[in-house]
Structures are given as structure tokens and as C-alpha cells.
Amino acid sequence: MSAQAERPEVLLLSSNRRRRYSEDILTALALPRGAIIRFRYEARYVAPPLQQKVANGSVLGVRTLIGFVADEDSPTDAFLLPVRFAEVVSAECAADIFRFHLRVTEHVDLDEYSLNRGEIKVASRKAIDKIKENNNDTYYPAVLKFPPFPVRTGSDEAQLWIGVARRLALHPTFENSYFMRVDPPAHLKSATTFAFDAEGRLVLGDMQPARLPVSFHAERYAETPKISLDCDTDGRFLRVSSDASHDVASRYDSTEFWLQPDASSFDSLTHVTVRLGPGEPGTTPVADVRIPVVVKHSRVRLLSRVVISALGAFLVATPAILGPGSSLSLRVLLAVIGSAALSTATIVMGRPRD
């Protein structure tokens, strides 16, 4: 059941002026809760009160609403739609560029928004005019002062996600797009989900294979161009142990990718990237999610390998220490046990568990 959402303090809008900006919207919609997305603005697009809030650091932790905007100057075609709630993890101004790092939280419930494009445009024009009115008759895509939007929260993330996707698809920018949702990664053999750390990185142990559930939806389906859903990793510290690519032959479906962290002698920073769209670049925005991954080496496992390796080496050397005067069968037995211990530490414990 939907509930009234806590009113966000910051509104950050991304437009269709460049393909990358539109793809930021698809990414914001697709990311699992807790992941980080980055928004960038030239200073002239950030309202002065928000600039001040960034300068004094009071913007950190603030609830934020991410939205899509197009044709903000048009009296008839303006289009503004809320997309996702988030909170500010960090914000800074470097030279003339403001950078916001946002941790995505709930999906928005747009049940109070029409599924008619004309009605959305009428409401959008009113909202944009109110933003300008609240900011000295100037339009900014990054503001503190903006009218309340009729958005709510709810527990059915999948339903909320598709509600946003269907309304975004009413705009020509996204009418041919595939929308993606990446659910929180879970352990391969249980329902336990893996958490993101404070910097938005997925943390996996080297003995913790994970599954990454992915769903997709499109309002239109055509045989061409060919659409594929791909999962990519560095292949060294993290690899895909399932099919890494799926041909998309329907408007909606779900699948999952299996991720296998590879053991090493140190913690490693890597990534997993999930991409949904045509192989050849075009004008339609493509859903692309890149998640940093920390593969943590097990200290207990490392200590166990060291102890077993040392024991194996000692047992292998023991026959030479005992000399030819000792029992031949005892020396052979000790050497075999020592070799087995060394093999276990090197081969068995040196690989991640299935």
C-alpha cells in the first residue's frame, strides 16, 4: 500500500539534451537500492541557494528527488516526471562544475500521474513555471525551491518501477527504450542479500558467489535492431559463471547472472556492468549499470592456508630429518600426508567455493 513520501529537499533533473543525460535517467531507474549514481551540472544550472548548501556541507544526507525534464521552455510540450528518490552522499564544486553523488533509495509511486501524455505535459508546464517563480523567474534543473510533486512510496518495488517506465515511454526520448531493473544481489544458495557499503560499493567475500537478478520492460518490440542483455566483469577478481549474454526477444522478462569472486591474497576492487540495448550505438538511450565491487579476501581462510601449508612442508621434510635409520613406511606416510596438505592449501583452498 502506498504511503505519503517524506518531502525531498533537493530536486535534480536530467534532460534529453544529450544522450548521456537521458541514460542517467535509465540508470537511476535501474540501480538497486543503496547503489550510487553521479550527477554533474555547470554552476549556471545550480540554483544559488543549493550552491550555498553544497559550500557549507549541509546538503549531505538530504533527501533528493531525481527527475526527467524535456522542452522546459515550450508552452505546450514541456515534460517533467519524477523518477527515483535518493540521498546526497557527497557534493562538491570543482572549478565550474558541481558534482553530486547520490545513493538511490525508494522508487516513486506515480499512481496519481496520468498515463496520458497530454495531461502530463499540462501538469509539467505548471510545475516548471512554479520552479521558475520560486527561483527569481529563472529555471534551474538543480534546485532547493520547487513545488510538491504528487509522489508516494510503496512496498512493491517492481510495480513502482514499471509505473515510472510506462510514463517515461510516453516521451519520444524513451519510446523505443528498454527499461531495466537490477535487484539487490543475493547469495547464490540462499535468500541473503549483499549490502552496499557507504561508498556504494558491493562487498563480496571470496567464498560468496552471488546472483544478480535483472528484469526488463519495453513498450514496443521490433525484430531490429537486435537487443541484448549483457553482464561484464574484469574476469580476474570477479567473473560471470552463468551465461553472460541474453538475446532479448520479448517486451518484458527477467533473468539472473551468477557472479563468482575469485580468491586472491588481498582485497580487490573491481566492477560488474549490466547493459541492455542494441549492440550498435544509436540515438535511443541505453540502460547501462556499472556497480563497483570489493572482493574481500577471507583472513581466516588465509591463516588456514598458511598453517596447512606450513604443516605440509614440515611433514614433507620430516623423512629427511629422521634419516635412513627410521621406518621406511613411516617416512613414506609422512611424505604423502605432507604432500596432501600442500595440495589442499594450494589447489582446494586457493579456489573460491562453488
Short mmCIF file of all heavy atoms in Angstrom, two decimals, residues 207-265:
data_model
loop_
_atom_site.label_atom_id
_atom_site.label_comp_id
_atom_site.label_asym_id
_atom_site.label_seq_id
_atom_site.Cartn_x
_atom_site.Cartn_y
_atom_site.Cartn_z
N MET A 207 34.51 -16.26 -0.90
CA MET A 207 33.80 -17.54 -0.84
C MET A 207 32.30 -17.31 -0.91
O MET A 207 31.51 -18.11 -0.43
CB MET A 207 34.17 -18.28 0.44
CG MET A 207 35.65 -18.65 0.54
SD MET A 207 36.11 -19.30 2.16
CE MET A 207 35.13 -20.81 2.21
N GLN A 208 31.87 -16.18 -1.52
CA GLN A 208 30.47 -15.81 -1.55
C GLN A 208 29.99 -15.58 -2.98
O GLN A 208 29.89 -14.43 -3.43
CB GLN A 208 30.24 -14.54 -0.71
CG GLN A 208 30.50 -14.73 0.77
CD GLN A 208 30.29 -13.42 1.52
OE1 GLN A 208 30.79 -12.37 1.13
NE2 GLN A 208 29.53 -13.48 2.61
N PRO A 209 29.69 -16.62 -3.73
CA PRO A 209 29.11 -16.43 -5.07
C PRO A 209 27.75 -15.75 -4.95
O PRO A 209 27.00 -15.98 -4.01
CB PRO A 209 28.99 -17.85 -5.61
CG PRO A 209 28.95 -18.73 -4.40
CD PRO A 209 29.81 -18.05 -3.37
N ALA A 210 27.44 -14.89 -5.90
CA ALA A 210 26.22 -14.10 -5.83
C ALA A 210 25.42 -14.24 -7.12
O ALA A 210 25.96 -14.53 -8.18
CB ALA A 210 26.56 -12.62 -5.58
N ARG A 211 24.11 -14.02 -7.00
CA ARG A 211 23.26 -13.95 -8.18
C ARG A 211 22.71 -12.54 -8.28
O ARG A 211 22.36 -11.91 -7.27
CB ARG A 211 22.13 -14.98 -8.12
CG ARG A 211 21.28 -14.94 -6.87
CD ARG A 211 20.32 -16.12 -6.81
NE ARG A 211 19.59 -16.15 -5.55
CZ ARG A 211 18.44 -15.52 -5.35
NH1 ARG A 211 17.90 -14.83 -6.34
NH2 ARG A 211 17.83 -15.57 -4.19
N LEU A 212 22.66 -12.05 -9.51
CA LEU A 212 22.23 -10.68 -9.76
C LEU A 212 20.96 -10.73 -10.59
O LEU A 212 21.00 -10.89 -11.81
CB LEU A 212 23.34 -9.94 -10.50
CG LEU A 212 23.25 -8.41 -10.59
CD1 LEU A 212 23.34 -7.79 -9.20
CD2 LEU A 212 24.35 -7.86 -11.48
N PRO A 213 19.78 -10.58 -9.96
CA PRO A 213 18.51 -10.64 -10.71
C PRO A 213 18.31 -9.37 -11.54
O PRO A 213 18.54 -8.26 -11.07
CB PRO A 213 17.45 -10.75 -9.61
CG PRO A 213 18.20 -11.09 -8.35
CD PRO A 213 19.55 -10.48 -8.52
N VAL A 214 17.88 -9.55 -12.78
CA VAL A 214 17.67 -8.43 -13.70
C VAL A 214 16.32 -8.62 -14.40
O VAL A 214 16.02 -9.70 -14.90
CB VAL A 214 18.79 -8.33 -14.75
CG1 VAL A 214 18.54 -7.17 -15.70
CG2 VAL A 214 20.15 -8.17 -14.07
N SER A 215 15.53 -7.54 -14.45
CA SER A 215 14.26 -7.55 -15.18
C SER A 215 14.30 -6.43 -16.22
O SER A 215 15.03 -5.46 -16.08
CB SER A 215 13.08 -7.32 -14.23
OG SER A 215 13.05 -8.31 -13.22
N PHE A 216 13.50 -6.59 -17.26
CA PHE A 216 13.44 -5.54 -18.28
C PHE A 216 12.02 -5.40 -18.82
O PHE A 216 11.19 -6.31 -18.71
CB PHE A 216 14.43 -5.80 -19.41
CG PHE A 216 14.20 -7.08 -20.18
CD1 PHE A 216 13.29 -7.13 -21.22
CD2 PHE A 216 14.91 -8.23 -19.87
CE1 PHE A 216 13.07 -8.30 -21.94
CE2 PHE A 216 14.69 -9.41 -20.57
CZ PHE A 216 13.78 -9.45 -21.61
N HIS A 217 11.77 -4.24 -19.42
CA HIS A 217 10.44 -3.94 -19.97
C HIS A 217 10.60 -2.93 -21.10
O HIS A 217 11.44 -2.03 -21.05
CB HIS A 217 9.52 -3.35 -18.90
CG HIS A 217 8.25 -2.78 -19.44
ND1 HIS A 217 7.15 -3.55 -19.75
CD2 HIS A 217 7.92 -1.50 -19.78
CE1 HIS A 217 6.20 -2.78 -20.22
NE2 HIS A 217 6.63 -1.53 -20.25
N ALA A 218 9.81 -3.08 -22.13
CA ALA A 218 9.73 -2.10 -23.22
C ALA A 218 8.29 -1.98 -23.66
O ALA A 218 7.53 -2.95 -23.63
CB ALA A 218 10.61 -2.53 -24.40
N GLU A 219 7.89 -0.79 -24.06
CA GLU A 219 6.54 -0.58 -24.55
C GLU A 219 6.39 -1.08 -25.98
O GLU A 219 5.30 -1.43 -26.42
CB GLU A 219 6.19 0.91 -24.50
CG GLU A 219 5.93 1.43 -23.09
CD GLU A 219 4.72 0.78 -22.44
OE1 GLU A 219 3.62 0.85 -23.01
OE2 GLU A 219 4.89 0.16 -21.36
N ARG A 220 7.51 -1.16 -26.70
CA ARG A 220 7.48 -1.62 -28.09
C ARG A 220 8.52 -2.70 -28.28
O ARG A 220 9.56 -2.71 -27.65
CB ARG A 220 7.76 -0.47 -29.05
CG ARG A 220 6.80 0.70 -28.96
CD ARG A 220 7.16 1.78 -29.96
NE ARG A 220 6.26 2.92 -29.88
CZ ARG A 220 6.35 3.99 -30.66
NH1 ARG A 220 7.31 4.05 -31.58
NH2 ARG A 220 5.50 4.99 -30.52
N TYR A 221 8.22 -3.64 -29.19
CA TYR A 221 9.20 -4.66 -29.56
C TYR A 221 9.29 -4.75 -31.07
O TYR A 221 8.27 -4.73 -31.77
CB TYR A 221 8.82 -6.04 -28.99
CG TYR A 221 9.72 -7.13 -29.51
CD1 TYR A 221 11.02 -7.27 -29.04
CD2 TYR A 221 9.28 -8.01 -30.51
CE1 TYR A 221 11.86 -8.26 -29.54
CE2 TYR A 221 10.11 -9.00 -31.00
CZ TYR A 221 11.40 -9.12 -30.52
OH TYR A 221 12.23 -10.07 -31.02
N ALA A 222 10.51 -4.81 -31.57
CA ALA A 222 10.74 -4.96 -33.01
C ALA A 222 11.90 -5.93 -33.20
O ALA A 222 12.77 -6.07 -32.33
CB ALA A 222 11.07 -3.62 -33.65
N GLU A 223 11.90 -6.62 -34.34
CA GLU A 223 12.96 -7.59 -34.62
C GLU A 223 14.32 -6.91 -34.77
O GLU A 223 15.35 -7.49 -34.46
CB GLU A 223 12.63 -8.37 -35.89
CG GLU A 223 11.42 -9.29 -35.77
CD GLU A 223 11.69 -10.48 -34.85
OE1 GLU A 223 12.87 -10.84 -34.67
OE2 GLU A 223 10.71 -11.03 -34.31
N THR A 224 14.31 -5.69 -35.27
CA THR A 224 15.55 -4.94 -35.45
C THR A 224 15.40 -3.56 -34.81
O THR A 224 14.31 -2.98 -34.83
CB THR A 224 15.90 -4.78 -36.94
OG1 THR A 224 14.80 -4.14 -37.62
CG2 THR A 224 16.20 -6.13 -37.58
N PRO A 225 16.47 -3.03 -34.21
CA PRO A 225 17.77 -3.67 -34.08
C PRO A 225 17.74 -4.78 -33.02
O PRO A 225 16.85 -4.80 -32.17
CB PRO A 225 18.67 -2.52 -33.64
CG PRO A 225 17.75 -1.62 -32.89
CD PRO A 225 16.44 -1.68 -33.60
N LYS A 226 18.72 -5.66 -33.08
CA LYS A 226 18.81 -6.75 -32.13
C LYS A 226 19.17 -6.21 -30.75
O LYS A 226 20.13 -5.45 -30.60
CB LYS A 226 19.88 -7.75 -32.59
CG LYS A 226 20.04 -8.94 -31.67
CD LYS A 226 21.11 -9.87 -32.22
CE LYS A 226 21.34 -11.05 -31.28
NZ LYS A 226 22.43 -11.94 -31.77
N ILE A 227 18.37 -6.59 -29.75
CA ILE A 227 18.58 -6.13 -28.37
C ILE A 227 19.21 -7.26 -27.56
O ILE A 227 18.78 -8.42 -27.66
CB ILE A 227 17.26 -5.70 -27.71
CG1 ILE A 227 16.55 -4.65 -28.57
CG2 ILE A 227 17.49 -5.18 -26.31
CD1 ILE A 227 17.29 -3.35 -28.69
N SER A 228 20.20 -6.94 -26.76
CA SER A 228 20.82 -7.95 -25.91
C SER A 228 20.99 -7.42 -24.49
O SER A 228 21.11 -6.21 -24.27
CB SER A 228 22.17 -8.39 -26.48
OG SER A 228 23.09 -7.32 -26.48
N LEU A 229 20.99 -8.34 -23.56
CA LEU A 229 21.22 -8.04 -22.15
C LEU A 229 22.55 -8.69 -21.78
O LEU A 229 22.68 -9.92 -21.85
CB LEU A 229 20.08 -8.60 -21.30
CG LEU A 229 20.21 -8.47 -19.78
CD1 LEU A 229 20.27 -7.01 -19.36
CD2 LEU A 229 19.04 -9.18 -19.09
N ASP A 230 23.54 -7.89 -21.42
CA ASP A 230 24.90 -8.38 -21.22
C ASP A 230 25.40 -8.04 -19.83
O ASP A 230 25.12 -6.97 -19.28
CB ASP A 230 25.85 -7.77 -22.25
CG ASP A 230 25.40 -8.03 -23.68
OD1 ASP A 230 25.27 -9.21 -24.05
OD2 ASP A 230 25.16 -7.05 -24.41
N CYS A 231 26.19 -8.96 -19.28
CA CYS A 231 26.84 -8.76 -17.99
C CYS A 231 28.35 -8.91 -18.19
O CYS A 231 28.81 -9.89 -18.79
CB CYS A 231 26.34 -9.77 -16.96
SG CYS A 231 27.02 -9.55 -15.30
N ASP A 232 29.09 -7.95 -17.69
CA ASP A 232 30.54 -7.94 -17.92
C ASP A 232 31.27 -7.66 -16.61
O ASP A 232 30.83 -6.82 -15.81
CB ASP A 232 30.89 -6.87 -18.97
CG ASP A 232 32.38 -6.81 -19.23
OD1 ASP A 232 32.94 -7.80 -19.72
OD2 ASP A 232 33.00 -5.76 -18.93
N THR A 233 32.39 -8.35 -16.40
CA THR A 233 33.26 -8.12 -15.25
C THR A 233 34.70 -8.05 -15.74
O THR A 233 34.98 -8.22 -16.92
CB THR A 233 33.13 -9.23 -14.20
OG1 THR A 233 33.60 -10.47 -14.77
CG2 THR A 233 31.68 -9.41 -13.76
N ASP A 234 35.62 -7.85 -14.81
CA ASP A 234 37.03 -7.79 -15.21
C ASP A 234 37.57 -9.18 -15.58
O ASP A 234 38.59 -9.29 -16.25
CB ASP A 234 37.88 -7.18 -14.09
CG ASP A 234 38.02 -8.13 -12.91
OD1 ASP A 234 37.00 -8.45 -12.28
OD2 ASP A 234 39.14 -8.59 -12.63
N GLY A 235 36.89 -10.26 -15.13
CA GLY A 235 37.32 -11.61 -15.47
C GLY A 235 38.44 -12.15 -14.62
O GLY A 235 38.79 -13.33 -14.73
N ARG A 236 39.01 -11.34 -13.76
CA ARG A 236 40.12 -11.79 -12.91
C ARG A 236 39.68 -11.95 -11.46
O ARG A 236 39.73 -13.03 -10.91
CB ARG A 236 41.29 -10.81 -13.01
CG ARG A 236 42.48 -11.19 -12.15
CD ARG A 236 43.59 -10.16 -12.23
NE ARG A 236 44.70 -10.51 -11.36
CZ ARG A 236 45.72 -9.71 -11.09
NH1 ARG A 236 45.76 -8.49 -11.64
NH2 ARG A 236 46.70 -10.09 -10.29
N PHE A 237 39.26 -10.85 -10.86
CA PHE A 237 38.83 -10.90 -9.46
C PHE A 237 37.35 -11.25 -9.35
O PHE A 237 36.90 -11.71 -8.31
CB PHE A 237 39.09 -9.56 -8.78
CG PHE A 237 40.52 -9.13 -8.83
CD1 PHE A 237 40.88 -7.98 -9.50
CD2 PHE A 237 41.51 -9.88 -8.22
CE1 PHE A 237 42.20 -7.57 -9.56
CE2 PHE A 237 42.84 -9.48 -8.26
CZ PHE A 237 43.19 -8.33 -8.94
N LEU A 238 36.60 -11.00 -10.43
CA LEU A 238 35.17 -11.31 -10.45
C LEU A 238 34.83 -11.79 -11.85
O LEU A 238 35.17 -11.14 -12.83
CB LEU A 238 34.35 -10.07 -10.09
CG LEU A 238 32.84 -10.25 -9.95
CD1 LEU A 238 32.53 -11.08 -8.71
CD2 LEU A 238 32.14 -8.88 -9.86
N ARG A 239 34.17 -12.92 -11.95
CA ARG A 239 33.82 -13.45 -13.26
C ARG A 239 32.34 -13.85 -13.26
O ARG A 239 31.73 -14.07 -12.21
CB ARG A 239 34.70 -14.64 -13.63
CG ARG A 239 34.65 -15.80 -12.67
CD ARG A 239 35.68 -16.87 -13.01
NE ARG A 239 35.72 -17.93 -12.02
CZ ARG A 239 34.94 -19.00 -12.02
NH1 ARG A 239 34.04 -19.14 -13.00
NH2 ARG A 239 35.03 -19.90 -11.10
N VAL A 240 31.79 -13.95 -14.46
CA VAL A 240 30.41 -14.38 -14.63
C VAL A 240 30.42 -15.89 -14.84
O VAL A 240 31.00 -16.38 -15.81
CB VAL A 240 29.76 -13.68 -15.83
CG1 VAL A 240 28.30 -14.10 -15.97
CG2 VAL A 240 29.86 -12.16 -15.70
N SER A 241 29.81 -16.63 -13.92
CA SER A 241 29.81 -18.09 -14.02
C SER A 241 28.51 -18.63 -14.60
O SER A 241 28.24 -19.82 -14.52
CB SER A 241 30.09 -18.70 -12.65
OG SER A 241 29.13 -18.29 -11.69
N SER A 242 27.69 -17.73 -15.18
CA SER A 242 26.49 -18.13 -15.92
C SER A 242 26.64 -17.61 -17.34
O SER A 242 27.69 -17.07 -17.72
CB SER A 242 25.25 -17.52 -15.26
OG SER A 242 25.33 -16.09 -15.30
N ASP A 243 25.59 -17.75 -18.15
CA ASP A 243 25.62 -17.10 -19.45
C ASP A 243 25.76 -15.59 -19.24
O ASP A 243 25.02 -15.00 -18.45
CB ASP A 243 24.33 -17.38 -20.23
CG ASP A 243 24.26 -18.82 -20.73
OD1 ASP A 243 25.34 -19.44 -20.81
OD2 ASP A 243 23.16 -19.29 -21.03
N ALA A 244 26.68 -14.98 -19.96
CA ALA A 244 26.95 -13.56 -19.76
C ALA A 244 26.13 -12.68 -20.70
O ALA A 244 26.16 -11.45 -20.58
CB ALA A 244 28.43 -13.27 -19.95
N SER A 245 25.39 -13.29 -21.63
CA SER A 245 24.62 -12.50 -22.59
C SER A 245 23.33 -13.22 -22.94
O SER A 245 23.31 -14.45 -23.06
CB SER A 245 25.45 -12.26 -23.86
OG SER A 245 24.75 -11.47 -24.78
N HIS A 246 22.26 -12.44 -23.05
CA HIS A 246 20.96 -12.99 -23.43
C HIS A 246 20.38 -12.16 -24.58
O HIS A 246 20.35 -10.93 -24.51
CB HIS A 246 19.97 -12.95 -22.26
CG HIS A 246 20.38 -13.78 -21.08
ND1 HIS A 246 20.08 -15.11 -20.97
CD2 HIS A 246 21.09 -13.46 -19.97
CE1 HIS A 246 20.57 -15.59 -19.84
NE2 HIS A 246 21.19 -14.60 -19.21
N ASP A 247 19.94 -12.83 -25.62
CA ASP A 247 19.21 -12.14 -26.68
C ASP A 247 17.80 -11.84 -26.20
O ASP A 247 17.10 -12.73 -25.71
CB ASP A 247 19.17 -12.99 -27.95
CG ASP A 247 20.52 -13.09 -28.63
OD1 ASP A 247 21.35 -12.19 -28.41
OD2 ASP A 247 20.75 -14.07 -29.37
N VAL A 248 17.39 -10.59 -26.33
CA VAL A 248 16.08 -10.17 -25.86
C VAL A 248 15.09 -10.30 -27.01
O VAL A 248 15.20 -9.61 -28.02
CB VAL A 248 16.14 -8.72 -25.35
CG1 VAL A 248 14.74 -8.23 -24.99
CG2 VAL A 248 17.07 -8.63 -24.14
N ALA A 249 14.12 -11.19 -26.83
CA ALA A 249 13.15 -11.45 -27.89
C ALA A 249 11.72 -11.24 -27.40
O ALA A 249 10.78 -11.87 -27.87
CB ALA A 249 13.31 -12.87 -28.42
N SER A 250 11.56 -10.36 -26.42
CA SER A 250 10.23 -10.07 -25.89
C SER A 250 10.23 -8.67 -25.30
O SER A 250 11.29 -8.06 -25.12
CB SER A 250 9.83 -11.10 -24.82
OG SER A 250 10.73 -11.05 -23.73
N ARG A 251 9.06 -8.19 -24.95
CA ARG A 251 8.94 -6.84 -24.38
C ARG A 251 9.33 -6.83 -22.91
O ARG A 251 9.73 -5.79 -22.39
CB ARG A 251 7.51 -6.31 -24.55
CG ARG A 251 7.14 -5.92 -25.97
CD ARG A 251 5.69 -5.42 -26.02
NE ARG A 251 5.40 -4.47 -24.97
CZ ARG A 251 4.42 -4.60 -24.09
NH1 ARG A 251 3.63 -5.67 -24.12
NH2 ARG A 251 4.23 -3.68 -23.17
N TYR A 252 9.15 -7.94 -22.23
CA TYR A 252 9.44 -7.97 -20.80
C TYR A 252 9.83 -9.38 -20.39
O TYR A 252 9.34 -10.38 -20.94
CB TYR A 252 8.25 -7.48 -19.97
CG TYR A 252 6.94 -8.13 -20.35
CD1 TYR A 252 6.54 -9.33 -19.78
CD2 TYR A 252 6.09 -7.53 -21.29
CE1 TYR A 252 5.35 -9.93 -20.14
CE2 TYR A 252 4.90 -8.12 -21.65
CZ TYR A 252 4.53 -9.31 -21.07
OH TYR A 252 3.35 -9.90 -21.44
N ASP A 253 10.71 -9.48 -19.43
CA ASP A 253 11.15 -10.78 -18.91
C ASP A 253 12.10 -10.51 -17.74
O ASP A 253 12.38 -9.35 -17.41
CB ASP A 253 11.85 -11.59 -19.99
CG ASP A 253 11.80 -13.10 -19.71
OD1 ASP A 253 11.40 -13.46 -18.59
OD2 ASP A 253 12.16 -13.88 -20.59
N SER A 254 12.59 -11.57 -17.15
CA SER A 254 13.59 -11.45 -16.09
C SER A 254 14.57 -12.60 -16.19
O SER A 254 14.25 -13.67 -16.73
CB SER A 254 12.92 -11.43 -14.71
OG SER A 254 12.21 -12.63 -14.49
N THR A 255 15.75 -12.39 -15.70
CA THR A 255 16.79 -13.41 -15.69
C THR A 255 17.73 -13.10 -14.53
O THR A 255 17.46 -12.19 -13.72
CB THR A 255 17.56 -13.43 -17.02
OG1 THR A 255 18.48 -14.54 -17.03
CG2 THR A 255 18.33 -12.15 -17.24
N GLU A 256 18.80 -13.85 -14.41
CA GLU A 256 19.79 -13.55 -13.39
C GLU A 256 21.17 -13.95 -13.89
O GLU A 256 21.31 -14.88 -14.69
CB GLU A 256 19.48 -14.23 -12.06
CG GLU A 256 19.48 -15.74 -12.09
CD GLU A 256 19.11 -16.35 -10.73
OE1 GLU A 256 18.44 -15.66 -9.93
OE2 GLU A 256 19.51 -17.49 -10.48
N PHE A 257 22.16 -13.22 -13.43
CA PHE A 257 23.55 -13.53 -13.72
C PHE A 257 24.20 -14.03 -12.43
O PHE A 257 23.93 -13.52 -11.35
CB PHE A 257 24.29 -12.30 -14.23
CG PHE A 257 23.75 -11.77 -15.55
CD1 PHE A 257 22.95 -10.64 -15.58
CD2 PHE A 257 24.05 -12.41 -16.74
CE1 PHE A 257 22.46 -10.15 -16.78
CE2 PHE A 257 23.56 -11.92 -17.95
CZ PHE A 257 22.76 -10.79 -17.96
N TRP A 258 25.09 -15.02 -12.58
CA TRP A 258 25.83 -15.55 -11.43
C TRP A 258 27.22 -14.94 -11.42
O TRP A 258 27.94 -14.98 -12.43
CB TRP A 258 25.93 -17.06 -11.50
CG TRP A 258 24.61 -17.76 -11.28
CD1 TRP A 258 23.39 -17.18 -11.15
CD2 TRP A 258 24.39 -19.17 -11.16
NE1 TRP A 258 22.42 -18.13 -10.96
CE2 TRP A 258 23.00 -19.37 -10.96
CE3 TRP A 258 25.23 -20.28 -11.20
CZ2 TRP A 258 22.45 -20.64 -10.81
CZ3 TRP A 258 24.68 -21.55 -11.06
CH2 TRP A 258 23.30 -21.72 -10.85
N LEU A 259 27.59 -14.40 -10.28
CA LEU A 259 28.89 -13.76 -10.11
C LEU A 259 29.76 -14.60 -9.18
O LEU A 259 29.31 -14.98 -8.09
CB LEU A 259 28.73 -12.36 -9.55
CG LEU A 259 27.81 -11.41 -10.32
CD1 LEU A 259 27.69 -10.08 -9.60
CD2 LEU A 259 28.32 -11.22 -11.75
N GLN A 260 30.97 -14.87 -9.61
CA GLN A 260 31.88 -15.70 -8.83
C GLN A 260 33.14 -14.89 -8.48
O GLN A 260 33.97 -14.60 -9.34
CB GLN A 260 32.30 -16.94 -9.62
CG GLN A 260 33.19 -17.91 -8.85
CD GLN A 260 32.43 -18.61 -7.73
OE1 GLN A 260 31.49 -19.34 -7.97
NE2 GLN A 260 32.85 -18.37 -6.50
N PRO A 261 33.28 -14.48 -7.21
CA PRO A 261 34.52 -13.80 -6.81
C PRO A 261 35.67 -14.82 -6.82
O PRO A 261 35.51 -15.95 -6.36
CB PRO A 261 34.23 -13.32 -5.38
CG PRO A 261 32.75 -13.46 -5.20
CD PRO A 261 32.32 -14.57 -6.10
N ASP A 262 36.80 -14.41 -7.34
CA ASP A 262 37.97 -15.28 -7.38
C ASP A 262 38.90 -14.94 -6.23
O ASP A 262 39.18 -13.76 -5.97
CB ASP A 262 38.72 -15.13 -8.71
CG ASP A 262 38.10 -15.98 -9.80
OD1 ASP A 262 37.34 -16.90 -9.46
OD2 ASP A 262 38.38 -15.73 -10.98
N ALA A 263 39.40 -15.97 -5.57
CA ALA A 263 40.27 -15.78 -4.42
C ALA A 263 41.60 -15.19 -4.86
O ALA A 263 42.13 -15.49 -5.91
CB ALA A 263 40.51 -17.11 -3.71
N SER A 264 42.13 -14.31 -4.04
CA SER A 264 43.48 -13.78 -4.21
C SER A 264 44.05 -13.57 -2.83
O SER A 264 43.42 -13.89 -1.82
CB SER A 264 43.44 -12.46 -4.99
OG SER A 264 42.67 -11.51 -4.27
N SER A 265 45.24 -13.06 -2.75
CA SER A 265 45.88 -12.89 -1.45
C SER A 265 45.66 -11.49 -0.88
O SER A 265 46.34 -11.10 0.05
CB SER A 265 47.39 -13.16 -1.59
OG SER A 265 47.60 -14.49 -2.01
#
